[in-house]
Amino acid sequence: MTTLSSLLFPLLAYLLGSLPFSIWVTRFVKGVDVRDAGSGHATTTNTIRQAGFGWGALVFILDVAKGFIPTYLAFHSNATIYVVAITATCAVIGHCWPVFANFRGGMGLATAGGSFLAVNPLAFLIAIGLLIVLVLVIRHSARASVFTGILIAPVLWILNIRDVAFWVALGAGLVIAVRFLIDWNRKYRELWLDREKTSG
């Protein structure tokens, strides 16, 4: 595989990840910027708060696709494991810090999930399971997401999943852990969807 091709997959992933579907959808449906209310992030849950469940479901599918498509293309080419992992990581980076939305995007979970689905659906299920368990134990979804990002690669390793999914978990998981630190001290009225408004 040429050096140019190795660079194109991560670049494509970042650009696809940067497509701010939640911003576009809520602007189309409600005429508002999804980031101006709720959590302040361009996410599926914030879309649900402002535009309804159906539009939120559409955003979720599109955000998953942003991770799935470039990772799938890299995985099924002759790209190395590391190029595939970097591609998946760049998709998540694009979603979190999108060039098309002033670098104010979402949190990366759906896009990371799409990347996992592209390389190993079992790893995807394990990641979801780990996140659910940590949310129930910690009772704070942002902190649970930080720990999921940190722990998913070691958990896959322990479970003897040491293929490209492990490296995707290492890269994408680190991005998610860093991204969710911004909400570390956010107060939640309920476990996941409803948040207390921060003062100021």
Side-chain angles (χ1 to χ4, degrees), residues 56-121:
L58 174 62
V59 167
F60 175 76
I61 292 169
L62 292 171
D63 284 348
V64 169
K66 293 193 302 188
F68 181 88
I69 292 171
T71 307
Y72 181 88
L73 292 175
F75 185 59
H76 288 277
S77 72
N78 58 344
T80 66
I81 285 177
Y82 305 108
V83 169
V84 176
I86 292 170
T87 297
T89 302
C90 284
V92 179
I93 291 172
H95 179 75
C96 295
W97 298 282
V99 67
F100 304 126
N102 297 319
F103 303 101
R104 288 179 58 215
M107 307 305 283
L109 288 176
T111 303
S115 295
F116 276 123
L117 283 173
V119 297
N120 190 330

Side-chain angles (χ1 to χ4, degrees), residues 138-181:
I138 298 173
R139 300 187 66 79
H140 190 285
S141 64
R143 295 174 189 174
S145 297
V146 171
F147 287 118
T148 298
I150 293 170
L151 294 174
I152 184 57
V155 167
L156 293 181
W157 184 270
I158 290 170
L159 295 175
N160 204 35
I161 298 177
R162 303 174 184 180
D163 56 8
V164 64
F166 167 79
W167 297 101
V168 167
L170 203 61
L174 177 61
V175 174
I176 286 171
V178 170
R179 179 61 173 151
F180 270 94
L181 284 174

